[in-house]
């Protein structure tokens, strides 16, 4: 397996984990619950208006999936660093000239921007990554311009995605 194939396999695995994460959040949503909604009433009894068992298991699985995704992102960074010029040139000369994931064209020419960088704080992760003022954001994680079509002036999808990863710490397996 080439470094490029390994990186693509990791991306597919990450998408599968994100799909499962979304399904687990749907369980919470269908129970009008969040990760922090109390599961007991004021007297300390389990709430009758929600499926407490399903919510508890969804919460646990969400935490596990967030940790798995975090570890996978680290693994993807290593895999992407290993992709060399030979992998890149073979990818360009292959039948698929434009990169795609799940049939979605990811070439930069076909991706509209959904945001423009107004400023970058010195020493911030954005500065470390090389982001500059006036750069246009084509995608962020699994988000792209199509996620902002309903409300073009709203960054709610971005806030929701970032919220999914707040306070997630990878579990070391040493």
């Amino acid at each position: 397996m080439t470094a490029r194939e390994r990186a693509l396999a990791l991306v597919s695995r990450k998408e599968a984990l994100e799909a499962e994460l979304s399904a687990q959040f749907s369980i919470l949503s269908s129970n009008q619950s969040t990760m922090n909604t109390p599961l007991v009433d004021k007297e300390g009894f389990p709430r009758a208006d929600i499926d407490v068992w399903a919510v508890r298991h969804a919460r646990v699985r969400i935490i596990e999936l967030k940790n798995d995704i975090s570890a996978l992102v680290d693994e993807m960074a290593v895999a992407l660093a290993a992709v060399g010029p030979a992998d890149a040139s073979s990818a360009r000369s292959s039948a698929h000239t434009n990169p795609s994931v799940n049939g979605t064209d990811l070439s930069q020419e076909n991706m509209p921007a959904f945001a423009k960088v107004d400023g970058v704080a010195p020493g911030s992760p954005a500065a470390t990554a090389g982001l500059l003022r006036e750069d246009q954001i084509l995608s962020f994680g699994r988000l792209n311009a199509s996620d902002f079509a309903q409300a073009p002036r709203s960054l709610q999808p971005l806030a929701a995605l970032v919220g999914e990863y707040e306070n997630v710490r990878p579990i070391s397996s040493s």
Side-chain angles (χ1 to χ4, degrees):
M1 177 181 283
T2 67
R4 180 179 184 277
E5 290 169 339
R6 176 163 164 60
L8 289 174
L10 290 171
V11 168
S12 295
R13 197 163 130 212
K14 181 176 175 274
E15 288 173 349
L17 289 174
E18 287 173 338
E20 186 180 349
L21 184 66
S22 178
Q24 295 300 322
F25 273 111
S26 317
I27 292 170
L28 294 183
S29 177
S30 68
N31 282 285
Q32 293 80 38
S33 183
T34 66
M35 293 294 286
N36 301 317
T37 304
L39 300 179
V40 294
D41 61 18
K42 292 178 184 176
E43 289 86 33
F45 293 102
R47 290 178 48 189
D49 61 328
I50 62 174
D51 184 347
V52 175
W53 185 88
V55 170
R56 287 197 62 208
H57 284 277
R59 287 177 176 179
V60 168
R61 188 65 185 137
I62 287 168
I63 292 167
E64 291 171 347
L65 289 167
K66 285 182 177 183
N67 287 331
D68 291 348
I69 289 170
S70 179
L72 189 59
V73 167
D74 292 341
E75 195 176 339
M76 286 171 59
V78 171
L80 289 172
V83 175
D87 288 325
S89 64
S90 69
R92 277 188 221 104
S93 65
S94 70
H96 303 288
T97 55
N98 290 333
S100 67
V101 173
N102 292 338
T104 304
D105 185 2
L106 297 179
S107 64
Q108 290 185 356
E109 300 87 36
N110 296 326
M111 289 183 68
F114 67 84
K116 184 163 68 170
V117 177
D118 187 42
V120 179
S124 68
T128 304
L131 213 56
L132 301 172
R133 189 172 193 276
E134 301 296 319
D135 279 352
Q136 294 194 6
I137 308 299
L138 305 178
S139 66
F140 185 87
R142 65 180 180 261
L143 300 177
N144 59 39
S146 66
D147 296 298
F148 298 89
Q150 295 289 350
R153 298 263 183 214
S154 171
L155 293 179
Q156 187 59 38
L158 183 62
L161 176 67
V162 170
E164 290 176 20
Y165 295 95
E166 283 183 331
N167 300 320
V168 175
R169 299 188 199 292
I171 298 174
S172 62
S173 59
S174 50

